Amino acid sequence: MVSEHSDAPDGESAALALKILVAGGFGVGKTTLVGAVSEIRPLRTEELLSEAGQSVDDTDGVDHKTTTTVAMDFGRITIRSGLSLYLFGTPGQDRFWFLWDELSQGALGAVVLADTRRLEDCFPAVDYFEHRRIPFVVAVNCFAGARRHGAPDVSRALDLDRGTPVVLCDARDRDSGKEVLIRLVEYAGRMHTARLLDSVG
């Protein structure tokens, strides 16, 4: 979850690096979000969609999409001095979900990207993180032309646990993506603190 860099000057706290997952359905904007917020050139493992994958990949609603993530996306963003986030974008298709267990090891929390036109596509990610008790926020990627829904409506539609944050965002915009990540870090911090207090209480 956390790695510490011990080369900080005397009197300064060690720098923290937190692992964050970016998950969601196929074509929802995971690669776009990681690329938009990353301060380094993001690592991408995208491949062209092939005819062989047409029978297993559901491209309804994302007909324009020509590539897919086959392993992960990786980026890094500094939230403030001494605190960086390592972002791991997960593949969206069912056939790559075996990678999720590896990617989720040591994660502080996750962002589940949602498209209200295909809201059911994020159900598996929501179930995955709920069952493993990994804190997450749902970030509704507001696509042009999509009907706008408020956070309470999305929360009810996804049957989220009480208190799970739902935020609206534009995955293409760095500031918008950064706000999503800040909300996640704050929420995950509260959840981990509460669990720690419960365990010692």
Side-chain angles (χ1 to χ4, degrees):
M1 178 191 310
V2 176
S3 63
E4 297 188 7
H5 305 289
S6 58
D7 56 352
D10 291 341
E12 294 184 15
S13 59
L16 298 179
L18 306 176
K19 182 179 183 181
I20 302 295
L21 300 187
V22 180
F26 180 58
V28 77
K30 300 180 294 295
T31 298
T32 300
L33 177 64
V34 172
V37 301
S38 181
E39 62 199 16
I40 63 172
R41 182 178 180 182
L43 168 67
R44 292 175 173 159
T45 57
E46 288 193 309
E47 297 290 342
L48 290 173
L49 290 171
S50 65
E51 292 184 8
Q54 289 180 353
S55 61
V56 291
D57 294 333
D58 180 10
T59 58
D60 287 344
V62 287
D63 303 332
H64 63 284
K65 189 169 174 61
T66 59
T67 61
T68 183
T69 298
V70 295
M72 66 173 185
D73 298 312
F74 174 77
R76 185 190 72 209
I77 179 174
T78 300
I79 296 296
R80 59 170 171 76
S81 178
L83 176 60
S84 297
L85 305 183
Y86 290 160
L87 309 176
F88 292 81
T90 65
Q93 303 100 303
D94 301 13
R95 58 196 169 110
F96 295 125
W97 282 351
F98 68 92
L99 295 169
W100 285 35
D101 287 336
E102 291 293 331
L103 292 175
S104 64
Q105 291 294 319
L108 173 76
V111 173
V112 176
L113 271 177
D115 178 353
T116 56
R117 300 169 302 179
R118 311 172 80 214
L119 197 58
E120 66 280 0
D121 288 0
C122 71
F123 287 169
V126 168
D127 290 342
Y128 182 91
F129 297 122
E130 283 184 343
H131 290 157
R132 287 159 182 79
R133 301 187 71 215
I134 297 175
F136 68 95
V137 301
V138 173
V140 179
N141 194 6
C142 298
F143 287 90
R147 182 181 173 189
R148 296 299 175 98
H149 297 272
D153 294 333
V154 173
S155 181
R156 283 192 296 270
L158 294 176
D159 193 25
L160 298 177
D161 290 340
R162 185 175 181 181
T164 302
V166 176
V167 295
L168 306 182
C169 74
D170 182 344
R172 302 166 300 179
D173 183 76
R174 175 179 168 81
D175 289 338
S176 180
K178 187 174 180 179
E179 283 301 315
V180 170
L181 295 172
I182 290 172
R183 285 287 300 275
L184 171 62
V185 170
E186 292 173 345
Y187 175 65
R190 292 195 302 270
M191 292 293 291
H192 286 293
T193 298
R195 291 171 185 173
L196 180 61
L197 292 176
D198 285 345
S199 68
V200 298

